[in-house]
């Protein structure tokens, strides 16, 4: 078993009590995840809690995947059957809500950008003026506000849109949480509740929440209902709360803190920091306005309740610099990476973190010019944000749902019109079919009480409230989908590639509006789309291999592709960290929960605005050994370092410290210093570093030869 501290053991050994709360305050680098893992091990091996009685959830797929991966390692090391890990319930909050709803209702739609764009087509012209909705984001906000204040908001247009969403089982993420709560409110013995819903009431005894500071108010009803009557164990740090734009974390924490009686609530703290050097922690403590304990290095027997740093000083303090523009900042970053790589660092040791994706994109273009390998860390793959891929998925949904309708498969209440939303979304993306036509069709379907697909395929053309040219365009739409639907091919196809080819073929035959999609005639756009198709195909193959018997591949993929994509994405990102290594690019939000030996923290074009304290704290505490801060504006920061110092290259004590910390062989940089400097100077010459950014235009990818 790993070497654990007294404060960690106190959490692990705290006994199981039903209807009780253990709140663990755990700062960055305190061994929170390790403590959570061993707490689970202790519950199973000592407290005799069955694996299937334990529920773990967090807010992000990245965190959940990390927990599962580490649990597998812990149980393997403990010589306990690894299969028990798969019996533990481990979900994101939204993943759990999604499963609850799908188990009770079947396939649902979580609305995304292309869906909101489709809904805008149903708005009367007066409602789409710049005064009302300049973008789908504004419509999204109005619908959300309407749902929150339904009794106070008399807007018949928005009311109709919400009615359509309800009839078609189209949900926002907030709707998903509310709908899941509704099913949990059913009595555990209620026959209408799914077995999974009943298990949440009856089976689970312990609920562990990772990163409680990331929870936001709209999650409270669901989470409190799941946790009530069980032992709640939550880990987190309020100083790392960086999702304030979703609502105050204090609201939900107040409810969780009061979930069980005070005499059944225990607050514990992990006092130690294993990750960062005392120099980095000192700066982080200053930012968060919390004094660092005088006693920094302790024995494992010491139980002093104070902030304790487990690592010895490195002798190198964080460098804080201000630059006039992106050019100067980028040249500094490249120059410093050159120094580090010419010493003992690897590309994979380095991360560049920023507040915004746009700034990271600008930095990525510079790294690419120099041939520096980099990898963007994202919460989900790019293909899921591609409107063209979203369109393919909606076409597939139309085929699946309309086929169910055609072949009289069993529907739950309201399901008979579920295809309407995907049809409206895909049809609104067709060239030449305007808003008025979409609205007229939708109104006509309502008068005949028919789904859109049945109206288009059963009602004679002369009854359509549309002009001849519009009818032909709609007929072209239905005829392209008809073969798969009429012959029920969609549910008979089990080959992922054959299915993708058929859906892509349908899409190619449709005349799509160029305002919806980037032109595939553009070489870069075409290559990007091809890459995204390949990535989607990989997920489809994974989905096929995981498909249980008794369900068609299409239904399985449509119901599970998001979760399976997240798992596959995280596994692919893990693989990319091996080999020659890459510099990691990430927003501060996406880097939360990660650590890197060397961090460049940049603020880019936002340098005129103060950095949020908690976000800055999170960014600083991602660094283990070296921290460079560029254009970080904050009241407790002072820029003081010389940006072009080369002292790091000759600092033998630091590089000895660095390699020991990373469990690497220690090399004496005094011996190699001359060679390292020579290599560094050659690289600078090749790069054209003369404090003149214009030279970057002719730079060479010399890093590929290092």
């Amino acid at each position: 078993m790993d070497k654990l501290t007294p404060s960690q053991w106190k959490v692990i050994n705290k006994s199981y009590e039903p209807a009780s709360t253990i709140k663990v305050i755990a700062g960055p680098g305190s061994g929170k995840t390790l403590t959570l893992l061993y707490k689970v091990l202790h519950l199973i091996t000592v407290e005799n809690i069955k694996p299937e009685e334990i529920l773990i959830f967090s807010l992000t797929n990245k965190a959940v995947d990390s927990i599962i991966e580490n649990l597998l390692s812990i149980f393997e090391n403990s010589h306990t059957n690894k299969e028990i890990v798969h019996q533990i319930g481990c979900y994101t909050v939204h993943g759990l809500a999604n499963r609850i709803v799908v188990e009770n209702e079947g396939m649902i739609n979580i609305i995304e950008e292309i869906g909101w764009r489709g809904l805008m087509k149903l708005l009367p012209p007066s409602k789409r003026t710049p005064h009302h909705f300049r973008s789908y984001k504004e419509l999204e906000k109005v619908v959300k506000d309407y749902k929150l204040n339904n009794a106070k908001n008399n807007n018949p247009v928005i009311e109709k849109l919400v009615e359509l969403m309800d009839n078609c089982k189209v949900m926002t993420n907030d709707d998903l949480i509310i709908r899941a709560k509704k099913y949990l409110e059913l009595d555990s013995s209620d026959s209408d509740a799914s077995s999974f819903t009943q298990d949440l009431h009856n089976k689970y005894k312990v609920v562990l929440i990772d990163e409680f500071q990331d929870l936001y108010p709209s999650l409270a009803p669901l989470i409190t209902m799941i946790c009530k009557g069980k032992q709640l164990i939550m880990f987190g740090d309020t100083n790392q709360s960086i999702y304030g734009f979703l609502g105050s974390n204090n609201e939900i924490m107040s409810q969780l803190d009061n979930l069980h009686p005070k005499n059944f609530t225990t607050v514990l703290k992990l006092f130690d920091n294993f990750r960062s050097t005392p120099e980095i922690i000192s700066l982080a403590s200053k930012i968060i306005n919390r004094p660092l304990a005088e006693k920094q290095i302790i024995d494992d027997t010491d139980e002093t309740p104070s902030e304790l740093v487990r690592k010895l000083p490195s002798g190198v303090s964080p460098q804080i610099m201000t630059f006039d523009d992106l050019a100067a900042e980028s040249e500094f970053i490249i120059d410093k990476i050159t120094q580090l790589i010419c010493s003992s660092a690897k590309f994979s040791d380095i991360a560049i973190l920023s507040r915004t994706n746009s700034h990271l994109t600008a930095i990525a273009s510079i790294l690419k010019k120099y041939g520096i390998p980099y990898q963007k860390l994202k919460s989900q793959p790019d293909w899921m944000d591609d409107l063209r891929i979203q369109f393919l998925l909606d076409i597939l949904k139309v085929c699946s749902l309309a086929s169910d309708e055609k072949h009289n498969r069993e529907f739950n209440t309201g399901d008979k019109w579920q295809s309407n939303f995907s049809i409206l979304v895909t049809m609104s993306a067709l060239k030449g079919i305007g808003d008025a036509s979409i609205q007229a069709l939708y109104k006509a379907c309502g008068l005949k009480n028919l789904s859109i697909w049945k109206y288009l395929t059963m009602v004679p053309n002369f009854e359509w409230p549309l002009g001849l040219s519009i009818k032909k365009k709609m007929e072209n739409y239905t005829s392209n989908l008809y073969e798969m639907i009429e012959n029920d091919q969609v549910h008979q196809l089990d080959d992922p590639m054959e299915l993708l080819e058929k859906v892509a073929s349908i899409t190619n035959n449709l005349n799509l509006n160029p305002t919806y999609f980037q032109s595939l005639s553009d070489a870069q756009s075409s290559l990007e789309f091809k890459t995204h198709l390949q990535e989607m195909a990989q997920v489809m193959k994974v989905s096929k291999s995981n498909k249980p018997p008794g369900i068609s591949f299409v239904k399985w993929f449509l119901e599970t592709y998001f979760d399976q994509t997240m798992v596959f994405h995280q596994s692919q990102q893990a693989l990319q960290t091996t080999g020659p290594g890459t510099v990691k690019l990430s927003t501060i939000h996406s880097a939360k929960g990660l650590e890197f030996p060397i961090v460049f923290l940049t603020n880019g074009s936002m340098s005129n605005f103060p950095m949020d304290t908690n976000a800055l704290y999170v960014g600083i505490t991602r660094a283990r050994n070296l921290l460079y801060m560029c254009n970080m504006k904050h009241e407790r920061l002072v820029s003081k370092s010389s940006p072009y110092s080369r002292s790091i290259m000759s600092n033998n004590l630091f590089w000895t410290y660095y390699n020991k910390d990373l469990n690497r062989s220690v090399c004496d940089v005094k011996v190699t210093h001359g060679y390292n400097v020579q290599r560094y100077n050659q690289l600078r010459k090749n790069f054209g570093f003369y404090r003149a950014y214009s030279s970057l235009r002719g730079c060479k990818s010399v890093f590929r030869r290092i």
Side-chain angles (χ1 to χ4, degrees):
M1 183 176 288
D2 294 64
K3 195 175 185 181
L4 300 169
T5 67
S7 58
Q8 289 175 318
W9 277 118
K10 189 174 286 188
V11 174
I12 294 167
N13 290 328
K14 182 67 178 175
S15 60
Y16 165 74
E17 288 183 278
S20 67
T21 298
I22 303 174
K23 185 176 183 179
V24 183
I25 310 298
S30 61
K32 168 185 66 67
T33 301
L34 187 69
T35 306
L36 184 153
L37 299 171
Y38 277 113
K39 181 64 180 178
V40 173
L41 180 64
H42 180 83
L43 286 167
I44 295 172
T45 58
V46 178
E47 301 279 0
N48 295 317
I49 303 295
K50 297 177 182 177
E52 59 268 26
E53 296 172 337
I54 298 173
L55 177 65
I56 306 172
F57 58 85
S58 187
L59 200 62
T60 67
N61 285 282
K62 177 179 66 179
V64 168
D65 292 339
S66 176
I67 289 169
I68 294 173
E69 181 182 350
N70 285 301
L71 275 174
L72 288 168
S73 175
I74 290 288
F75 278 90
E76 184 179 44
N77 294 337
S78 71
H79 306 291
T80 308
N81 188 355
K82 285 174 59 177
E83 290 300 314
I84 66 174
V85 174
H86 301 295
Q87 300 173 36
I88 299 170
C90 200
Y91 301 91
T92 64
V93 180
H94 287 93
L96 182 67
N98 187 81
R99 179 162 180 190
I100 293 170
V101 176
V102 169
E103 290 275 350
N104 285 279
E105 296 187 21
M107 190 191 336
I108 59 175
N109 296 289
I110 304 300
I111 190 167
E112 299 183 59
E113 177 180 346
I114 194 170
W116 289 113
R117 289 179 183 272
L119 284 182
M120 287 186 73
K121 288 278 188 176
L122 294 177
L123 295 173
S126 63
K127 297 295 181 181
R128 280 182 280 106
T129 63
H131 177 69
H132 290 86
F133 305 116
R134 287 182 287 270
S135 70
Y136 75 91
K137 286 285 187 184
E138 293 186 23
L139 175 61
E140 183 179 358
K141 184 178 183 304
V142 169
V143 170
K144 183 177 180 179
D145 290 344
Y146 176 86
K147 290 186 174 188
L148 290 174
N149 307 287
N150 198 9
K152 304 176 183 178
N153 192 329
N154 185 21
N155 189 327
V157 175
I158 301 301
E159 184 180 351
K160 287 291 185 183
L161 291 186
V162 171
E163 183 183 349
L164 168 66
M165 293 174 68
D166 290 340
N167 287 339
C168 299
K169 294 200 304 189
V170 176
M171 303 177 195
T172 65
N173 281 313
D174 287 342
D175 293 334
L176 188 67
I177 298 296
I178 295 169
R179 191 73 64 90
K181 175 181 174 289
K182 183 191 76 171
Y183 287 110
L184 285 179
E185 287 174 340
L186 297 174
D187 187 86
S188 60
S189 60
D190 196 317
S191 59
D192 291 334
S194 70
S195 59
F196 182 73
T197 307
Q198 294 174 17
D199 284 345
L200 287 171
H201 285 297
N202 303 323
K203 185 174 72 174
Y204 293 107
K205 292 182 177 180
V206 181
V207 178
L208 295 101
I209 299 177
D210 184 40
E211 307 286 8
F212 63 68
Q213 78 281 344
D214 293 341
L215 303 176
Y216 47 91
S218 62
L219 303 177
L222 177 66
I223 292 174
T224 53
M225 185 167 287
I226 292 172
C227 298
K228 193 172 183 180
K230 304 172 177 63
Q231 182 174 55
L232 168 62
I233 308 172
M234 47 184 178
F235 296 77
D237 177 16
T238 54
N239 291 326
Q240 297 187 69
S241 178
I242 57 176
Y243 297 102
F245 55 89
L246 296 173
S248 173
N249 174 260
N250 293 333
E251 294 181 35
I252 185 171
M253 287 313 305
S254 176
Q255 294 184 48
L256 290 175
D257 288 341
N258 296 305
L259 185 65
H260 300 125
K262 290 295 182 185
N263 58 322
F264 285 91
T265 299
T266 304
V267 179
L268 301 173
K269 184 173 182 179
L270 301 182
F271 298 112
D272 312 280
N273 187 293
F274 298 90
R275 176 186 299 161
S276 304
T277 66
E279 293 89 345
I280 293 172
I281 293 300
S282 178
L283 177 63
S285 299
K286 179 182 177 182
I287 293 297
I288 214 67
N289 203 22
R290 184 178 63 213
L292 184 66
E294 293 182 4
K295 187 176 182 184
Q296 294 183 334
I297 312 299
I298 64 166
D299 299 322
D300 284 338
T301 56
D302 195 321
E303 297 187 51
T304 305
S306 52
E307 194 81 17
L308 302 167
V309 182
R310 290 273 170 175
K311 293 174 71 170
L312 292 165
S314 70
V316 178
S317 298
Q319 293 189 36
I320 308 170
M321 293 135 305
T322 300
F323 301 96
D324 294 332
D325 52 33
L326 175 63
E329 179 192 74
S330 300
E331 182 163 323
F332 165 76
I333 292 174
I334 299 297
D335 182 73
K336 194 58 65 175
I337 289 176
T338 307
Q339 292 182 31
L340 297 169
I341 297 301
C342 289
S343 301
S344 289
K346 301 177 180 179
F347 287 122
S348 56
D349 297 345
I350 303 169
I352 302 174
L353 310 182
S354 180
R355 175 161 39 187
T356 65
N357 274 304
S358 59
H359 186 49
L360 290 175
T361 300
I363 291 175
S365 67
I366 302 299
L367 296 179
K368 187 175 181 180
K369 284 179 181 287
Y370 283 98
I372 297 176
Y374 67 90
Q375 172 195 358
K376 286 187 177 181
L377 300 181
K378 297 188 64 175
S379 57
Q380 65 182 45
D382 290 336
W383 72 264
M384 293 190 71
D385 297 323
D386 191 325
L387 288 180
R388 297 161 296 189
I389 299 294
Q390 291 182 25
F391 186 87
L392 290 180
L393 288 169
D394 274 309
I395 287 289
L396 190 56
K397 288 176 184 176
V398 172
C399 292
S400 177
L401 294 166
S403 182
D404 286 349
E405 199 174 327
K406 169 71 179 177
H407 296 278
N408 296 316
R409 292 186 174 88
E410 183 180 351
F411 287 91
N412 296 321
T413 304
D415 279 4
K416 64 180 180 178
W417 293 319
Q418 197 180 345
S419 63
N420 280 5
F421 181 75
S422 294
I423 291 175
L424 286 170
V425 167
T426 52
M427 193 173 281
S428 65
L430 302 180
K431 188 176 181 180
I433 298 182
D435 304 356
S437 301
I438 294 286
Q439 292 167 33
L441 175 64
Y442 186 61
K443 183 179 179 180
C445 291
L447 292 173
K448 286 190 174 290
N449 196 30
L450 292 173
S451 71
I452 296 178
W453 183 258
K454 282 194 173 180
Y455 188 96
L456 293 173
T457 55
M458 295 175 57
V459 175
N461 285 0
F462 65 83
E463 294 188 29
W464 288 19
L466 304 167
L468 182 61
S469 63
I470 302 297
K471 290 177 186 176
K472 288 183 177 180
K473 289 182 173 68
M474 289 188 176
E475 286 175 343
N476 179 60
Y477 172 85
T478 56
S479 63
N480 275 287
L481 276 69
Y482 195 77
E483 183 182 356
M484 287 185 70
I485 295 169
E486 182 69 14
N487 301 326
D488 202 23
Q489 288 188 8
V490 66
H491 288 143
Q492 295 170 3
L493 286 170
D494 276 343
D495 184 298
M497 292 309 300
E498 186 179 356
L499 179 65
L500 186 58
E501 286 172 3
K502 281 192 173 292
V503 176
S505 176
I506 292 172
T507 303
N508 286 334
N509 292 333
L510 300 176
N511 191 11
L512 299 179
N513 192 328
T515 61
Y516 265 67
F517 308 100
Q518 293 175 289
S519 173
L520 292 181
S521 61
D522 178 74
Q524 184 173 352
S525 178
S526 180
L527 179 62
E528 180 185 74
F529 183 47
K530 183 179 179 181
T531 301
H532 292 170
L533 277 176
Q534 291 170 340
E535 292 171 351
M536 181 182 175
Q538 286 181 299
V539 174
M540 294 177 77
K541 290 177 181 178
V542 172
S543 180
K544 169 67 176 177
S545 66
N546 295 329
K547 184 184 80 68
I551 184 172
S552 76
F553 169 64
V554 171
K555 277 192 173 297
W556 171 253
F557 175 70
L558 289 174
E559 290 181 6
T560 65
Y561 79 88
F562 182 83
D563 287 337
Q564 298 205 61
T565 297
M566 294 299 101
V567 173
F568 181 74
H569 176 61
Q570 296 299 330
S571 66
Q572 291 299 107
Q573 288 212 326
L575 288 173
Q576 291 178 32
T577 61
T578 62
T582 56
V583 174
K584 307 303 183 295
L585 303 182
S586 175
T587 62
I588 293 172
H589 285 75
S590 295
K592 196 170 174 294
L594 303 177
E595 62 179 58
F596 311 92
I598 303 167
V599 167
F600 290 86
L601 194 57
T602 74
N603 204 22
S605 61
M606 303 291 288
S607 59
N608 290 328
F609 300 92
M611 188 76 159
D612 174 77
T613 295
N614 283 12
L616 181 57
Y617 178 72
V618 169
I620 290 171
T621 54
R622 298 313 93 197
R624 290 180 58 168
N625 298 308
L626 272 179
L627 175 65
Y628 301 97
M629 304 176 68
C630 307
N631 292 332
M632 291 290 124
K633 188 178 178 72
H634 192 275
E635 61 183 355
R636 302 190 187 109
L637 282 179
V638 178
S639 178
K640 56 187 177 182
S641 299
S642 172
Y644 291 94
S645 170
R646 303 184 190 178
S647 60
I648 192 68
M649 294 186 67
S650 58
N651 194 332
N652 189 55
L653 289 176
F654 171 77
W655 289 113
T656 300
Y657 175 100
Y658 183 88
N659 286 309
K660 283 183 177 179
D661 184 61
L662 299 180
N663 295 315
R664 296 175 182 169
S665 58
V666 176
C667 61
D668 190 343
V669 297
K670 290 181 180 178
V671 177
T672 60
H673 181 64
Y675 171 74
N676 292 342
V677 170
Q678 183 181 4
R679 186 167 61 149
Y680 166 73
N681 288 331
Q682 184 60 47
L683 286 172
R684 282 182 59 84
K685 181 179 178 181
N686 290 338
F687 289 161
F689 274 143
Y690 300 105
R691 306 284 294 272
Y693 185 73
S694 60
S695 62
L696 290 178
R697 290 194 294 267
C699 67
K700 301 176 182 179
S701 300
V702 293
F703 267 110
R704 294 181 181 138
R705 299 198 293 268
I706 295 181

